mmCIF file of all heavy atoms in Angstrom:
data_model
loop_
_atom_site.group_PDB
_atom_site.id
_atom_site.type_symbol
_atom_site.label_atom_id
_atom_site.label_comp_id
_atom_site.label_asym_id
_atom_site.label_seq_id
_atom_site.Cartn_x
_atom_site.Cartn_y
_atom_site.Cartn_z
ATOM 1 N N MET A 1 82.876 88.154 70.144
ATOM 2 C CA MET A 1 83.765 88.684 69.113
ATOM 3 C C MET A 1 83.870 90.202 69.165
ATOM 4 O O MET A 1 84.298 90.831 68.157
ATOM 5 C CB MET A 1 83.275 88.239 67.683
ATOM 6 C CG MET A 1 83.225 86.740 67.493
ATOM 7 S SD MET A 1 84.896 85.989 67.478
ATOM 8 C CE MET A 1 85.423 86.523 65.865
ATOM 9 N N ILE A 2 83.496 90.815 70.268
ATOM 10 C CA ILE A 2 83.400 92.265 70.357
ATOM 11 C C ILE A 2 84.738 92.959 70.044
ATOM 12 O O ILE A 2 84.691 94.060 69.408
ATOM 13 C CB ILE A 2 82.849 92.718 71.723
ATOM 14 C CG1 ILE A 2 82.420 94.174 71.644
ATOM 15 C CG2 ILE A 2 83.866 92.477 72.826
ATOM 16 C CD1 ILE A 2 81.260 94.415 70.691
ATOM 17 N N GLU A 3 85.852 92.402 70.397
ATOM 18 C CA GLU A 3 87.100 93.110 70.126
ATOM 19 C C GLU A 3 87.328 93.268 68.610
ATOM 20 O O GLU A 3 88.050 94.181 68.192
ATOM 21 C CB GLU A 3 88.323 92.328 70.766
ATOM 22 C CG GLU A 3 88.591 91.021 70.191
ATOM 23 C CD GLU A 3 89.898 90.404 70.732
ATOM 24 O OE1 GLU A 3 90.903 91.027 70.582
ATOM 25 O OE2 GLU A 3 89.769 89.268 71.294
ATOM 26 N N TYR A 4 86.811 92.329 67.833
ATOM 27 C CA TYR A 4 86.963 92.431 66.359
ATOM 28 C C TYR A 4 85.784 93.258 65.788
ATOM 29 O O TYR A 4 86.008 93.973 64.826
ATOM 30 C CB TYR A 4 86.942 91.038 65.752
ATOM 31 C CG TYR A 4 88.032 90.151 66.309
ATOM 32 C CD1 TYR A 4 87.720 89.040 67.159
ATOM 33 C CD2 TYR A 4 89.366 90.427 66.103
ATOM 34 C CE1 TYR A 4 88.680 88.212 67.664
ATOM 35 C CE2 TYR A 4 90.370 89.562 66.640
ATOM 36 C CZ TYR A 4 90.017 88.484 67.433
ATOM 37 O OH TYR A 4 90.982 87.706 67.972
ATOM 38 N N LEU A 5 84.605 93.162 66.364
ATOM 39 C CA LEU A 5 83.469 93.937 65.820
ATOM 40 C C LEU A 5 83.638 95.410 66.095
ATOM 41 O O LEU A 5 83.017 96.213 65.360
ATOM 42 C CB LEU A 5 82.191 93.392 66.519
ATOM 43 C CG LEU A 5 81.833 91.927 66.248
ATOM 44 C CD1 LEU A 5 80.628 91.515 67.075
ATOM 45 C CD2 LEU A 5 81.505 91.755 64.743
ATOM 46 N N LYS A 6 84.418 95.803 67.022
ATOM 47 C CA LYS A 6 84.662 97.225 67.315
ATOM 48 C C LYS A 6 85.681 97.863 66.344
ATOM 49 O O LYS A 6 85.814 99.098 66.292
ATOM 50 C CB LYS A 6 85.180 97.399 68.726
ATOM 51 C CG LYS A 6 84.080 97.182 69.815
ATOM 52 C CD LYS A 6 84.671 97.016 71.186
ATOM 53 C CE LYS A 6 85.330 98.292 71.684
ATOM 54 N NZ LYS A 6 85.818 98.159 73.091
ATOM 55 N N LEU A 7 86.322 97.078 65.559
ATOM 56 C CA LEU A 7 87.354 97.605 64.628
ATOM 57 C C LEU A 7 86.690 98.454 63.542
ATOM 58 O O LEU A 7 85.599 98.182 63.074
ATOM 59 C CB LEU A 7 88.096 96.440 64.001
ATOM 60 C CG LEU A 7 88.979 95.622 64.882
ATOM 61 C CD1 LEU A 7 89.668 94.467 64.094
ATOM 62 C CD2 LEU A 7 90.039 96.474 65.554
ATOM 63 N N LYS A 8 87.414 99.541 63.208
ATOM 64 C CA LYS A 8 86.972 100.412 62.151
ATOM 65 C C LYS A 8 87.863 100.190 60.882
ATOM 66 O O LYS A 8 87.476 100.560 59.752
ATOM 67 C CB LYS A 8 87.025 101.867 62.528
ATOM 68 C CG LYS A 8 86.061 102.231 63.625
ATOM 69 C CD LYS A 8 86.020 103.710 63.925
ATOM 70 C CE LYS A 8 87.338 104.180 64.549
ATOM 71 N NZ LYS A 8 87.280 105.632 64.916
ATOM 72 N N SER A 9 89.034 99.656 61.068
ATOM 73 C CA SER A 9 89.915 99.173 60.000
ATOM 74 C C SER A 9 90.216 97.702 60.183
ATOM 75 O O SER A 9 90.256 97.229 61.312
ATOM 76 C CB SER A 9 91.222 100.004 59.997
ATOM 77 O OG SER A 9 91.056 101.380 59.672
ATOM 78 N N PHE A 10 90.383 97.033 59.097
ATOM 79 C CA PHE A 10 90.668 95.592 59.171
ATOM 80 C C PHE A 10 91.968 95.312 58.401
ATOM 81 O O PHE A 10 91.977 95.016 57.214
ATOM 82 C CB PHE A 10 89.525 94.788 58.558
ATOM 83 C CG PHE A 10 88.238 95.058 59.310
ATOM 84 C CD1 PHE A 10 87.437 96.122 58.971
ATOM 85 C CD2 PHE A 10 87.848 94.265 60.366
ATOM 86 C CE1 PHE A 10 86.211 96.350 59.656
ATOM 87 C CE2 PHE A 10 86.680 94.492 61.069
ATOM 88 C CZ PHE A 10 85.876 95.566 60.735
ATOM 89 N N ILE A 11 93.086 95.547 59.128
ATOM 90 C CA ILE A 11 94.407 95.493 58.544
ATOM 91 C C ILE A 11 95.329 94.530 59.284
ATOM 92 O O ILE A 11 95.389 94.543 60.523
ATOM 93 C CB ILE A 11 95.074 96.852 58.478
ATOM 94 C CG1 ILE A 11 94.181 97.875 57.789
ATOM 95 C CG2 ILE A 11 96.409 96.796 57.861
ATOM 96 C CD1 ILE A 11 94.695 99.292 57.878
ATOM 97 N N SER A 12 95.985 93.666 58.551
ATOM 98 C CA SER A 12 97.059 92.814 59.092
ATOM 99 C C SER A 12 98.350 93.447 58.822
ATOM 100 O O SER A 12 98.658 93.805 57.698
ATOM 101 C CB SER A 12 96.952 91.405 58.546
ATOM 102 O OG SER A 12 95.767 90.754 58.944
ATOM 103 N N ILE A 13 99.219 93.571 59.858
ATOM 104 C CA ILE A 13 100.505 94.260 59.725
ATOM 105 C C ILE A 13 101.667 93.298 59.967
ATOM 106 O O ILE A 13 101.662 92.535 60.962
ATOM 107 C CB ILE A 13 100.598 95.409 60.763
ATOM 108 C CG1 ILE A 13 99.531 96.438 60.526
ATOM 109 C CG2 ILE A 13 101.989 95.993 60.689
ATOM 110 C CD1 ILE A 13 99.629 97.223 59.223
ATOM 111 N N TYR A 14 102.618 93.322 59.070
ATOM 112 C CA TYR A 14 103.853 92.561 59.171
ATOM 113 C C TYR A 14 105.026 93.540 59.337
ATOM 114 O O TYR A 14 105.420 94.158 58.365
ATOM 115 C CB TYR A 14 104.045 91.704 57.896
ATOM 116 C CG TYR A 14 105.320 90.937 57.755
ATOM 117 C CD1 TYR A 14 106.082 90.534 58.859
ATOM 118 C CD2 TYR A 14 105.814 90.636 56.481
ATOM 119 C CE1 TYR A 14 107.280 89.827 58.707
ATOM 120 C CE2 TYR A 14 106.987 89.933 56.302
ATOM 121 C CZ TYR A 14 107.719 89.511 57.426
ATOM 122 O OH TYR A 14 108.894 88.845 57.253
ATOM 123 N N PRO A 15 105.545 93.700 60.560
ATOM 124 C CA PRO A 15 106.631 94.671 60.778
ATOM 125 C C PRO A 15 107.878 94.236 60.099
ATOM 126 O O PRO A 15 108.249 93.060 60.099
ATOM 127 C CB PRO A 15 106.796 94.658 62.292
ATOM 128 C CG PRO A 15 105.542 94.023 62.858
ATOM 129 C CD PRO A 15 105.125 93.041 61.786
ATOM 130 N N LEU A 16 108.594 95.200 59.517
ATOM 131 C CA LEU A 16 109.863 94.922 58.817
ATOM 132 C C LEU A 16 110.893 95.947 59.330
ATOM 133 O O LEU A 16 110.563 97.017 59.832
ATOM 134 C CB LEU A 16 109.718 94.998 57.333
ATOM 135 C CG LEU A 16 108.832 93.910 56.712
ATOM 136 C CD1 LEU A 16 108.338 94.382 55.324
ATOM 137 C CD2 LEU A 16 109.642 92.640 56.552
ATOM 138 N N LYS A 17 112.210 95.596 59.154
ATOM 139 C CA LYS A 17 113.253 96.534 59.496
ATOM 140 C C LYS A 17 113.888 97.061 58.232
ATOM 141 O O LYS A 17 113.888 96.423 57.169
ATOM 142 C CB LYS A 17 114.303 95.785 60.298
ATOM 143 C CG LYS A 17 113.783 95.273 61.689
ATOM 144 C CD LYS A 17 114.899 94.536 62.384
ATOM 145 C CE LYS A 17 114.388 93.933 63.677
ATOM 146 N NZ LYS A 17 115.430 93.152 64.402
ATOM 147 N N GLU A 18 114.450 98.245 58.295
ATOM 148 C CA GLU A 18 115.174 98.813 57.184
ATOM 149 C C GLU A 18 116.207 97.824 56.674
ATOM 150 O O GLU A 18 116.370 97.638 55.486
ATOM 151 C CB GLU A 18 115.816 100.129 57.590
ATOM 152 C CG GLU A 18 116.713 100.747 56.501
ATOM 153 C CD GLU A 18 117.338 102.022 56.940
ATOM 154 O OE1 GLU A 18 116.806 102.745 57.815
ATOM 155 O OE2 GLU A 18 118.392 102.362 56.379
ATOM 156 N N GLU A 19 116.918 97.162 57.619
ATOM 157 C CA GLU A 19 117.973 96.245 57.261
ATOM 158 C C GLU A 19 117.461 95.084 56.426
ATOM 159 O O GLU A 19 118.242 94.504 55.647
ATOM 160 C CB GLU A 19 118.709 95.744 58.511
ATOM 161 C CG GLU A 19 119.468 96.787 59.261
ATOM 162 C CD GLU A 19 118.611 97.797 59.993
ATOM 163 O OE1 GLU A 19 117.452 97.439 60.283
ATOM 164 O OE2 GLU A 19 119.136 98.882 60.309
ATOM 165 N N ASP A 20 116.215 94.737 56.577
ATOM 166 C CA ASP A 20 115.594 93.612 55.790
ATOM 167 C C ASP A 20 115.709 93.883 54.307
ATOM 168 O O ASP A 20 115.858 92.952 53.523
ATOM 169 C CB ASP A 20 114.136 93.375 56.170
ATOM 170 C CG ASP A 20 114.004 92.829 57.592
ATOM 171 O OD1 ASP A 20 114.903 92.091 58.040
ATOM 172 O OD2 ASP A 20 112.937 93.106 58.228
ATOM 173 N N PHE A 21 115.591 95.158 53.960
ATOM 174 C CA PHE A 21 115.566 95.541 52.528
ATOM 175 C C PHE A 21 116.996 95.502 51.907
ATOM 176 O O PHE A 21 117.082 95.649 50.673
ATOM 177 C CB PHE A 21 114.873 96.837 52.367
ATOM 178 C CG PHE A 21 113.412 96.808 52.628
ATOM 179 C CD1 PHE A 21 112.905 97.024 53.922
ATOM 180 C CD2 PHE A 21 112.475 96.479 51.635
ATOM 181 C CE1 PHE A 21 111.591 96.953 54.171
ATOM 182 C CE2 PHE A 21 111.185 96.405 51.854
ATOM 183 C CZ PHE A 21 110.697 96.619 53.160
ATOM 184 N N TYR A 22 118.007 95.416 52.722
ATOM 185 C CA TYR A 22 119.344 95.294 52.211
ATOM 186 C C TYR A 22 119.751 93.877 51.943
ATOM 187 O O TYR A 22 120.828 93.613 51.377
ATOM 188 C CB TYR A 22 120.360 95.960 53.180
ATOM 189 C CG TYR A 22 120.098 97.409 53.516
ATOM 190 C CD1 TYR A 22 120.406 97.918 54.746
ATOM 191 C CD2 TYR A 22 119.477 98.229 52.576
ATOM 192 C CE1 TYR A 22 120.184 99.223 55.071
ATOM 193 C CE2 TYR A 22 119.195 99.581 52.910
ATOM 194 C CZ TYR A 22 119.578 100.073 54.133
ATOM 195 O OH TYR A 22 119.316 101.396 54.449
ATOM 196 N N GLN A 23 118.918 92.924 52.364
ATOM 197 C CA GLN A 23 119.235 91.504 52.237
ATOM 198 C C GLN A 23 118.716 90.938 50.887
ATOM 199 O O GLN A 23 117.709 91.411 50.374
ATOM 200 C CB GLN A 23 118.605 90.695 53.379
ATOM 201 C CG GLN A 23 119.055 91.238 54.741
ATOM 202 C CD GLN A 23 120.543 91.270 54.947
ATOM 203 O OE1 GLN A 23 121.273 90.338 54.638
ATOM 204 N NE2 GLN A 23 120.998 92.381 55.539
ATOM 205 N N LYS A 24 119.440 89.945 50.344
ATOM 206 C CA LYS A 24 119.043 89.379 49.092
ATOM 207 C C LYS A 24 117.772 88.593 49.162
ATOM 208 O O LYS A 24 117.098 88.319 48.125
ATOM 209 C CB LYS A 24 120.142 88.406 48.588
ATOM 210 C CG LYS A 24 121.471 89.149 48.249
ATOM 211 C CD LYS A 24 122.508 88.202 47.723
ATOM 212 C CE LYS A 24 123.791 88.910 47.333
ATOM 213 N NZ LYS A 24 124.851 88.020 46.829
ATOM 214 N N ASP A 25 117.335 88.205 50.392
ATOM 215 C CA ASP A 25 116.139 87.391 50.505
ATOM 216 C C ASP A 25 114.852 88.234 50.735
ATOM 217 O O ASP A 25 113.842 87.645 51.085
ATOM 218 C CB ASP A 25 116.257 86.380 51.642
ATOM 219 C CG ASP A 25 116.334 87.038 53.017
ATOM 220 O OD1 ASP A 25 116.536 88.266 53.066
ATOM 221 O OD2 ASP A 25 116.153 86.292 54.018
ATOM 222 N N ILE A 26 114.899 89.510 50.531
ATOM 223 C CA ILE A 26 113.742 90.314 50.809
ATOM 224 C C ILE A 26 112.555 89.948 49.947
ATOM 225 O O ILE A 26 111.416 89.992 50.435
ATOM 226 C CB ILE A 26 114.052 91.870 50.653
ATOM 227 C CG1 ILE A 26 112.850 92.690 51.051
ATOM 228 C CG2 ILE A 26 114.517 92.200 49.264
ATOM 229 C CD1 ILE A 26 112.351 92.495 52.464
ATOM 230 N N VAL A 27 112.776 89.615 48.690
ATOM 231 C CA VAL A 27 111.675 89.206 47.847
ATOM 232 C C VAL A 27 111.039 87.928 48.313
ATOM 233 O O VAL A 27 109.837 87.746 48.376
ATOM 234 C CB VAL A 27 112.120 89.080 46.364
ATOM 235 C CG1 VAL A 27 110.968 88.490 45.480
ATOM 236 C CG2 VAL A 27 112.493 90.459 45.791
ATOM 237 N N GLU A 28 111.885 86.963 48.721
ATOM 238 C CA GLU A 28 111.398 85.719 49.257
ATOM 239 C C GLU A 28 110.637 85.942 50.594
ATOM 240 O O GLU A 28 109.626 85.253 50.835
ATOM 241 C CB GLU A 28 112.552 84.717 49.500
ATOM 242 C CG GLU A 28 113.019 84.030 48.250
ATOM 243 C CD GLU A 28 111.963 83.187 47.566
ATOM 244 O OE1 GLU A 28 111.334 82.366 48.323
ATOM 245 O OE2 GLU A 28 111.756 83.260 46.376
ATOM 246 N N LYS A 29 111.123 86.851 51.348
ATOM 247 C CA LYS A 29 110.440 87.190 52.651
ATOM 248 C C LYS A 29 109.055 87.701 52.385
ATOM 249 O O LYS A 29 108.067 87.350 53.088
ATOM 250 C CB LYS A 29 111.312 88.204 53.415
ATOM 251 C CG LYS A 29 110.853 88.439 54.840
ATOM 252 C CD LYS A 29 111.729 89.535 55.529
ATOM 253 C CE LYS A 29 113.137 89.068 55.784
ATOM 254 N NZ LYS A 29 113.214 88.232 57.029
ATOM 255 N N LEU A 30 108.935 88.599 51.424
ATOM 256 C CA LEU A 30 107.613 89.175 51.096
ATOM 257 C C LEU A 30 106.750 88.176 50.337
ATOM 258 O O LEU A 30 105.528 88.200 50.524
ATOM 259 C CB LEU A 30 107.842 90.481 50.309
ATOM 260 C CG LEU A 30 108.346 91.627 51.157
ATOM 261 C CD1 LEU A 30 108.767 92.783 50.268
ATOM 262 C CD2 LEU A 30 107.270 92.124 52.132
ATOM 263 N N LYS A 31 107.370 87.310 49.575
ATOM 264 C CA LYS A 31 106.580 86.246 48.928
ATOM 265 C C LYS A 31 105.871 85.386 49.970
ATOM 266 O O LYS A 31 104.715 85.062 49.833
ATOM 267 C CB LYS A 31 107.533 85.414 48.040
ATOM 268 C CG LYS A 31 106.814 84.244 47.383
ATOM 269 C CD LYS A 31 107.853 83.394 46.570
ATOM 270 C CE LYS A 31 107.206 82.145 45.996
ATOM 271 N NZ LYS A 31 108.214 81.316 45.247
ATOM 272 N N LYS A 32 106.630 85.022 50.989
ATOM 273 C CA LYS A 32 106.054 84.303 52.072
ATOM 274 C C LYS A 32 104.872 85.005 52.743
ATOM 275 O O LYS A 32 103.830 84.434 53.058
ATOM 276 C CB LYS A 32 107.097 83.919 53.127
ATOM 277 C CG LYS A 32 106.652 83.061 54.292
ATOM 278 C CD LYS A 32 107.795 82.743 55.262
ATOM 279 C CE LYS A 32 107.278 81.851 56.396
ATOM 280 N NZ LYS A 32 108.366 81.555 57.337
ATOM 281 N N ALA A 33 105.072 86.342 52.912
ATOM 282 C CA ALA A 33 104.028 87.117 53.466
ATOM 283 C C ALA A 33 102.768 87.168 52.609
ATOM 284 O O ALA A 33 101.633 87.114 53.077
ATOM 285 C CB ALA A 33 104.505 88.533 53.752
ATOM 286 N N PHE A 34 103.004 87.269 51.255
ATOM 287 C CA PHE A 34 101.871 87.255 50.295
ATOM 288 C C PHE A 34 101.063 85.931 50.455
ATOM 289 O O PHE A 34 99.856 85.971 50.429
ATOM 290 C CB PHE A 34 102.394 87.375 48.859
ATOM 291 C CG PHE A 34 103.022 88.652 48.506
ATOM 292 C CD1 PHE A 34 103.893 88.736 47.401
ATOM 293 C CD2 PHE A 34 102.783 89.806 49.252
ATOM 294 C CE1 PHE A 34 104.480 89.967 47.069
ATOM 295 C CE2 PHE A 34 103.348 91.031 48.885
ATOM 296 C CZ PHE A 34 104.218 91.078 47.780
ATOM 297 N N HIS A 35 101.793 84.837 50.565
ATOM 298 C CA HIS A 35 101.135 83.523 50.764
ATOM 299 C C HIS A 35 100.345 83.476 52.092
ATOM 300 O O HIS A 35 99.168 83.095 52.131
ATOM 301 C CB HIS A 35 102.161 82.408 50.759
ATOM 302 C CG HIS A 35 102.432 81.785 49.431
ATOM 303 N ND1 HIS A 35 101.474 81.112 48.744
ATOM 304 C CD2 HIS A 35 103.551 81.752 48.688
ATOM 305 C CE1 HIS A 35 101.990 80.630 47.612
ATOM 306 N NE2 HIS A 35 103.235 81.047 47.542
ATOM 307 N N THR A 36 101.007 83.897 53.111
ATOM 308 C CA THR A 36 100.414 83.818 54.476
ATOM 309 C C THR A 36 99.182 84.639 54.658
ATOM 310 O O THR A 36 98.260 84.231 55.342
ATOM 311 C CB THR A 36 101.509 84.226 55.518
ATOM 312 O OG1 THR A 36 102.652 83.382 55.347
ATOM 313 C CG2 THR A 36 100.976 84.059 56.930
ATOM 314 N N ILE A 37 99.121 85.781 53.986
ATOM 315 C CA ILE A 37 97.977 86.702 54.177
ATOM 316 C C ILE A 37 96.711 86.334 53.346
ATOM 317 O O ILE A 37 95.703 86.909 53.538
ATOM 318 C CB ILE A 37 98.429 88.186 53.937
ATOM 319 C CG1 ILE A 37 97.476 89.121 54.645
ATOM 320 C CG2 ILE A 37 98.454 88.441 52.401
ATOM 321 C CD1 ILE A 37 97.439 88.924 56.143
ATOM 322 N N GLN A 38 96.897 85.347 52.417
ATOM 323 C CA GLN A 38 95.767 85.078 51.585
ATOM 324 C C GLN A 38 94.467 84.675 52.253
ATOM 325 O O GLN A 38 93.389 85.148 51.838
ATOM 326 C CB GLN A 38 96.154 84.012 50.515
ATOM 327 C CG GLN A 38 97.111 84.464 49.445
ATOM 328 C CD GLN A 38 96.624 85.742 48.748
ATOM 329 O OE1 GLN A 38 95.562 85.747 48.112
ATOM 330 N NE2 GLN A 38 97.386 86.830 48.908
ATOM 331 N N PRO A 39 94.504 83.841 53.282
ATOM 332 C CA PRO A 39 93.211 83.500 53.954
ATOM 333 C C PRO A 39 92.514 84.750 54.514
ATOM 334 O O PRO A 39 91.283 84.856 54.518
ATOM 335 C CB PRO A 39 93.654 82.557 55.061
ATOM 336 C CG PRO A 39 94.858 81.916 54.525
ATOM 337 C CD PRO A 39 95.601 82.993 53.796
ATOM 338 N N PHE A 40 93.259 85.714 54.965
ATOM 339 C CA PHE A 40 92.718 86.959 55.524
ATOM 340 C C PHE A 40 92.120 87.749 54.397
ATOM 341 O O PHE A 40 90.960 88.284 54.513
ATOM 342 C CB PHE A 40 93.817 87.774 56.211
ATOM 343 C CG PHE A 40 93.367 89.068 56.839
ATOM 344 C CD1 PHE A 40 92.615 89.070 57.956
ATOM 345 C CD2 PHE A 40 93.747 90.296 56.255
ATOM 346 C CE1 PHE A 40 92.218 90.301 58.560
ATOM 347 C CE2 PHE A 40 93.377 91.490 56.810
ATOM 348 C CZ PHE A 40 92.598 91.476 57.992
ATOM 349 N N ILE A 41 92.816 87.909 53.256
ATOM 350 C CA ILE A 41 92.269 88.611 52.111
ATOM 351 C C ILE A 41 90.979 87.968 51.587
ATOM 352 O O ILE A 41 89.989 88.614 51.264
ATOM 353 C CB ILE A 41 93.378 88.705 51.001
ATOM 354 C CG1 ILE A 41 94.508 89.630 51.380
ATOM 355 C CG2 ILE A 41 92.720 89.172 49.687
ATOM 356 C CD1 ILE A 41 94.111 91.056 51.510
#
């Protein structure tokens, strides 16, 4: 597990585009991300 044990920060990143925030489904998109990241948290 050395690649994980060497980490100094433990962050999961979900890349987004500026255009995503102009769409009506941005809240639903982030809601899905909130759900998905719970096991990590």
Side-chain angles (χ1 to χ4, degrees):
M1 298 292 285
I2 195 62
E3 67 172 302
Y4 304 111
L5 297 173
K6 287 166 66 176
L7 294 177
K8 295 187 291 182
S9 292
F10 300 87
I11 303 173
S12 292
I13 300 293
Y14 173 28
L16 293 160
K17 298 177 181 178
E18 175 181 333
E19 291 74 21
D20 291 330
F21 290 90
Y22 302 150
Q23 306 303 315
K24 293 181 179 180
D25 68 345
I26 184 59
V27 172
E28 281 298 312
K29 190 183 289 279
L30 288 168
K31 176 183 176 181
K32 183 178 180 180
F34 293 159
H35 267 296
T36 304
I37 203 59
Q38 287 310 297
F40 181 73
I41 290 292

